[in-house]
């Protein structure tokens, strides 16, 4: 599929001028801000998990996780394999401050709520490329798998000062895999109950000035009742070339497709729908370049396009055959130059983004090539003051053709002592979510006069790293405690008095996040988290839906011998309010889920087994949509 040309709002001369300016700004051919592989960096550090490693999402430049003045959780490839996690959403469910809600089983719509904010207020990136849907702003994690993921960086707090719109509650950045050997490949197959099976294959390596990675996966699942099924496929590709040591350029691609049955017209208890189904696809292509002009001067540039489609079909609808199709396009270009002079690192960048939506159904063509443009510029300063102080300051100005300009500042400071093993950090930031294309322009209830949702956030945290304290070699790991507060204004809600979308909502979220890792042995890794979160709708005084007040997770991985490793993960989600099938507000029960995984390793073969929901807990992440019961899965992975 070809990339979308410059938007129709630009004439040919304007498009040529824009392209020329971007090239002239660059000291070399166009890299991808926030893409570590395009910088020639390893996607992971040599230290064993969960030791200190570099993160890139906080500033779009590499920084040590131990000293950065922000709250970050990193899930590396080793933990992904140990837990045998095939879904990104499964991993996010154990991250402090995050709540995951799936309306049923595999392939059903899946939302993530960060620090009590709306699911539309978490920015989702793939190697720095924005994936949020232009039509509804949020991101559906239903089809997002871990096959091509090297690590996941979850940064909590406001980051519109760097990334622009939607980074209100936090940012989830997926970093793609990169192999540093001449060649490696893996093929795997697994199967289980309810007709479940999954097959995947991947290959990657380096060949001279080129490094590459590709993967493909396909899965099937059939549940109960009738018409509860999921068919999914995913493919990823990365190819980077380094013609000279200080220049890297390439292409990255991600494609996914999922089709699922919808067994009920609503949740359980509503009339069955034996033929209702939906199908979604996503295609993301990025062309990143990174150029180190001088030791002190680096330049990044990228262009990308993300296309999605969502189709809905119900030939047996009581009111007649109903269908709808929604196609979206998100085209963007971004550039950033970074200058490092002694203890100071200054970044200056800009971006352009074009959102477009086509929507039609059995009744009419609601939206046809409807969209808008946003331009943004930002300035960021990272300053090390002596041995103990680190300061971040950022400011971004976005200009949207519908609602005008939005200014997003952020300031953070960290005080470090005890050889950087102790850190106190504090931050302040303002962020925003831009109205989606549907909220702005959908006929009947859209409102072109909408303002962005705006938030002000504060954070205070402490982190201590244990590295054999008091001479105890078994005391290795870290622990952190963070307090956060966010006030959100101008929330976009449907106004039942005038029957259009309006900026009429206000809310607050506040809470504590406790996280710890413990590695008493090189073969034993433990990750523990607990979150207390309080949310409040300032108009009604009620808590926000699907946000638990208490949640916790414990994950223990153990490899007693080189040929055997296992993992047990337990997650607890407290009670929370939700909307029932009769549209009344009801309390959804708390639940605890346990997953167990065991893998063997012999020569080139790795047989494995896992039990999902091992205690057969009966629960619903979203009220009215039961989660799958205990499921046994077994398979084998071959490495060549």
């Amino acid at each position: 599929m070809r990339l979308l040309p410059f938007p129709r709002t630009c004439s040919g001369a304007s498009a040529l001028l824009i392209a020329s300016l971007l090239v002239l700004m660059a000291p070399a051919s166009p890299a991808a801000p926030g893409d570590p592989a395009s910088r020639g960096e390893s996607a992971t550090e040599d230290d064993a998990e969960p030791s200190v490693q570099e993160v890139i999402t906080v500033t779009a430049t590499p920084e040590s996780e131990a000293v950065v003045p922000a709250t970050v959780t990193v899930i590396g490839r080793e933990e992904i394999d140990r837990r045998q996690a095939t879904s990104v959403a499964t991993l996010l469910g154990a991250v402090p401050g995050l709540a995951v809600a799936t309306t049923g089983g595999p392939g059903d719509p899946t939302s993530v709520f960060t620090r009590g904010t709306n699911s539309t207020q978490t920015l989702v990136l793939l190697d720095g490329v924005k994936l949020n849907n232009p039509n509804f702003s949020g991101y559906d994690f239903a089809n997002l798998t871990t096959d091509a993921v090297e690590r996941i960086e979850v940064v909590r707090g406001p980051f519109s000062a760097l990334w622009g719109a939607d980074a209100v509650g936090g940012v989830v950045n997926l970093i793609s895999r990169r192999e540093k050997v001449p060649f490696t490949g893996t093929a795997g197959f697994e199967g289980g109950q309810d007709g479940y099976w999954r097959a995947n294959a991947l290959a990657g390596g380096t060949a001279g000035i080129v490094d590459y990675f590709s993967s493909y996966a396909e899965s099937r699942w059939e549940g109960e009742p009738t018409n509860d099924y999921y068919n999914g496929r995913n493919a990823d590709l990365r190819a980077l070339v380094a013609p000279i040591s200080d220049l890297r350029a390439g292409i990255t691609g991600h494609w996914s497709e999922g089709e699922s049955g919808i067994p009920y017209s609503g949740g359980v208890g509503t009339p069955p729908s034996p033929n209702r189904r939906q199908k979604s696809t996503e295609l993301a292509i990025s062309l990143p370049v990174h150029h180190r002009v001088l030791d002190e001067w680096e330049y990044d540039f990228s262009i990308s396009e993300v296309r999605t489609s969502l189709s809905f079909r119900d030939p047996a609808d009581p009111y007649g055959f109903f269908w709808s199709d929604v196609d979206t396009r998100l085209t963007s270009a971004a550039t950033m130059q970074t200058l490092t002079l002694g203890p100071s690192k200054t970044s200056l960048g800009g971006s352009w983004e074009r959102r477009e939506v086509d929507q039609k159904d059995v009744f009419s063509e609601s939206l046809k090539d409807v969209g808008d443009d946003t331009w943004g510029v930002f300035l960021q300063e990272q300053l090390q003051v002596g041995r103990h102080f680190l300061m971040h300051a950022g400011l971004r100005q976005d200009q949207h053709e519908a609602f005008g300009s939005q200014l997003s500042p952020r300031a953070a400071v960290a005080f470090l002592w005890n050889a950087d093993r102790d850190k106190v950090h504090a931050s302040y930031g303002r962020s925003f979510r831009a109205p989606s294309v549907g909220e702005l322009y959908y006929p009947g209830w859209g409102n072109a006069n909408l303002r962005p949702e705006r938030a002000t956030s504060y954070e205070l945290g402490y982190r201590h790293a244990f590295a054999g304290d008091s001479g105890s070699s078994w005391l290795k790991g870290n622990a952190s405690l963070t307090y956060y507060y966010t006030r959100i204004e101008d929330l976009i809600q449907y106004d039942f008095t005038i029957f259009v979308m309006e900026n009429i909502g206000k809310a607050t979220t506040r809470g504590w996040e406790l996280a710890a890792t413990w590695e008493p042995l090189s073969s034993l890794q433990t990750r523990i988290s607990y979150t207390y979160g309080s949310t409040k709708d300032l108009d009604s005084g009620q808590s926000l839906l699907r946000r638990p007040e208490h949640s916790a997770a414990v994950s223990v991985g153990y490899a007693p011998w080189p040929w055997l490793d296992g993992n047990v993960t337990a997650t607890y989600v407290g009670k929370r309010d939700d909307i029932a099938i009769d549209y009344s507000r009801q309390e959804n029960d708390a639940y605890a889920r346990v997953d167990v995984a065991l893998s063997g390793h012999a020569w080139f073969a790795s047989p494995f087994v896992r039990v999902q929901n091992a205690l057969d807990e009966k629960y619903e992440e979203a009220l009215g949509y039961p989660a799958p019961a205990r499921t046994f899965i077994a398979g084998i992975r071959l490495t060549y």
Side-chain angles (χ1 to χ4, degrees):
M1 183 178 293
R2 66 181 178 86
L3 289 177
L4 187 73
F6 279 92
R8 296 178 177 85
T9 53
C10 295
S11 66
S14 299
L16 181 60
L17 175 61
I18 294 171
S20 301
L21 288 173
L22 290 172
V23 172
L24 289 172
M25 290 173 62
S29 303
D35 182 356
S38 69
R39 294 169 168 265
E41 300 158 4
S42 170
T44 58
E45 299 302 302
D46 293 333
D47 295 334
E49 285 185 276
S51 302
V52 172
Q53 57 184 315
E54 288 187 334
V55 294
I56 200 167
T57 310
V58 177
T59 61
T61 61
E63 278 196 291
S64 169
E65 178 192 357
V67 303
V68 65
T71 306
V72 186
T73 297
V74 179
I75 304 171
R77 188 69 226 178
E78 181 181 340
E79 181 177 351
I80 295 172
D81 289 339
R82 193 170 61 237
R83 292 179 57 181
Q84 299 180 26
T86 60
S87 164
V88 170
T90 298
L91 295 166
L92 296 180
V95 174
L98 270 59
V100 176
T102 299
T103 56
D108 288 325
T110 303
S111 302
V112 171
F113 304 86
T114 305
R115 285 187 169 175
T117 61
N118 288 338
S119 60
T120 56
Q121 295 173 336
T122 296
L123 179 64
V124 182
L125 305 173
L126 175 60
D127 292 324
V129 175
K130 182 177 181 178
L131 297 181
N132 292 52
N133 192 290
N135 194 42
F136 66 92
S137 294
Y139 184 75
D140 183 1
F141 287 83
N143 300 322
L144 195 57
T145 67
T146 61
D147 298 273
V149 176
E150 183 61 39
R151 74 176 188 266
I152 305 171
E153 296 182 4
V154 182
V155 182
R156 274 93 74 199
F159 281 89
S160 289
L162 175 64
W163 297 105
D166 303 336
V168 178
V171 181
V172 176
N173 193 8
L174 310 173
I175 309 298
S176 295
R177 296 176 71 164
R178 181 186 174 208
E179 305 294 342
K180 294 192 291 183
V181 296
F183 177 79
T184 185
T186 300
F189 180 85
E190 63 184 46
Q193 297 162 279
D194 297 324
Y196 169 79
W197 64 264
R198 187 176 195 272
N200 72 317
L202 61 87
T206 60
I209 63 173
V210 178
D211 71 70
Y212 61 93
F213 179 86
S214 62
S215 68
Y216 176 81
E218 186 166 346
S219 62
R220 296 287 187 272
W221 176 81
E222 294 182 9
E224 293 291 342
T226 303
N227 195 38
D228 192 7
Y229 71 90
Y230 173 67
N231 301 328
R233 295 187 293 169
N234 298 267
D236 290 88
L237 171 69
R238 170 192 285 272
L240 296 171
V241 60
I244 58 177
S245 60
D246 294 325
L247 175 65
R248 296 183 66 85
I251 182 171
T252 64
H254 164 75
W255 172 81
S256 67
E257 177 184 84
E259 179 179 317
S260 57
I262 305 173
Y264 297 105
S265 55
V268 173
T270 59
S273 51
N275 297 292
R276 182 173 293 187
R277 63 190 184 276
Q278 69 176 22
K279 182 177 181 180
S280 61
T281 62
E282 178 180 61
L283 175 66
I285 298 176
S286 175
L287 305 175
V289 174
H290 174 78
H291 186 205
R292 182 181 290 275
V293 186
L294 302 170
D295 289 342
E296 303 83 7
W297 181 17
E298 298 176 81
Y299 180 81
D300 293 276
F301 177 79
S302 71
I303 57 174
S304 63
E305 174 153 308
V306 181
R307 294 189 176 215
T308 71
S309 67
L310 177 64
S311 64
F312 177 90
R313 299 289 185 273
D314 189 356
D317 187 279
Y319 300 98
F321 190 122
F322 181 82
W323 60 268
S324 68
D325 293 310
V326 181
D327 298 313
T328 74
R329 292 168 296 280
L330 178 63
T331 310
S332 61
T335 178
M336 184 177 80
Q337 302 202 40
T338 301
L339 182 65
T340 303
L341 297 175
S344 170
K345 181 182 289 187
T346 305
S347 299
L348 174 66
S351 65
W352 164 78
E353 178 181 289
R354 171 72 180 175
R355 308 184 301 178
E356 290 185 295
V357 176
D358 295 336
Q359 183 167 342
K360 56 186 176 181
D361 55 38
V362 67
F363 301 111
S364 65
E365 189 170 42
S366 307
L367 300 172
K368 176 63 175 176
D369 295 332
V370 175
D372 47 39
D373 293 88
T374 303
W375 295 87
V377 294
F378 68 88
L379 177 66
Q380 177 180 258
E381 175 65 24
Q382 306 169 58
L383 182 63
Q384 180 81 40
V385 182
R387 287 181 50 83
H388 300 293
F389 284 98
L390 178 64
M391 294 188 296
H392 285 182
L395 186 66
R396 181 182 175 105
Q397 177 78 31
D398 285 281
Q399 186 69 32
H400 189 280
E401 69 173 72
F403 59 78
S405 63
Q406 182 66 35
L407 188 67
S408 304
R410 182 178 183 270
V413 61
F415 176 70
L416 306 152
W417 72 96
N418 193 17
D420 292 348
R421 286 162 57 188
D422 287 280
K423 176 183 73 174
V424 171
H425 80 273
S427 66
Y428 157 82
R430 296 179 62 185
S431 54
F432 75 100
R433 180 184 79 85
S436 68
V437 173
E439 291 168 334
L440 286 167
Y441 307 118
Y442 194 86
W445 52 264
N447 183 357
N449 296 316
L450 286 173
R451 302 182 303 276
E453 298 177 342
R454 299 175 292 112
T456 302
S457 303
Y458 304 89
E459 179 178 309
L460 178 64
Y462 169 72
R463 181 184 190 273
H464 176 72
F466 304 92
D469 286 2
S470 305
S472 301
S473 60
W474 58 271
L475 192 59
K476 181 183 178 183
N478 61 72
S480 64
L481 179 64
T482 305
Y483 172 79
Y484 65 87
Y485 171 84
T486 299
R487 180 183 175 91
I488 310 169
E489 298 181 340
D490 289 334
L491 283 168
I492 299 172
Q493 299 174 350
Y494 186 74
D495 190 332
F496 287 91
T497 62
I498 57 176
F499 308 109
V500 296
M501 305 300 289
E502 281 285 352
N503 297 99
I504 55 176
K506 295 181 181 179
T508 59
T509 73
R510 69 186 76 202
W512 295 87
E513 296 168 352
L514 174 65
T517 62
W518 182 41
E519 299 179 30
L521 304 170
S522 60
S523 59
L524 178 62
Q525 298 87 31
T526 302
R527 188 192 289 269
I528 303 170
S529 67
Y530 165 75
T531 303
Y532 166 77
S534 174
T535 63
K536 186 177 183 180
D537 184 319
L538 296 182
D539 294 321
S540 67
Q542 296 176 310
S543 61
L544 301 180
L545 299 175
R546 295 185 179 174
R547 278 74 146 188
E549 191 173 39
H550 302 279
S551 59
V554 178
S555 184
V556 180
Y558 184 46
W561 302 284
W563 49 269
L564 182 68
D565 66 72
N567 192 93
V568 177
T569 300
T571 55
Y572 169 80
V573 177
K575 60 185 180 181
R576 60 264 179 233
D577 286 349
D578 207 335
I579 297 298
I581 59 175
D582 61 358
Y583 302 103
S584 65
R585 186 183 183 100
Q586 294 185 17
E587 184 177 271
N588 196 357
D589 293 335
Y591 68 88
R593 168 175 163 161
V594 176
D595 297 321
V596 180
L598 187 67
S599 301
H601 310 282
W603 296 286
F604 60 90
S606 298
F608 58 87
V609 295
R610 70 176 180 271
V611 186
Q612 298 175 169
N613 191 12
L615 302 182
D616 202 21
E617 179 84 346
K618 304 297 189 293
Y619 69 97
E620 300 173 354
E621 292 183 3
L623 195 61
Y625 298 90
R630 178 170 49 218
T631 304
F632 295 90
I633 296 171
I636 189 168
R637 184 170 56 252
L638 306 177
T639 302
Y640 49 92

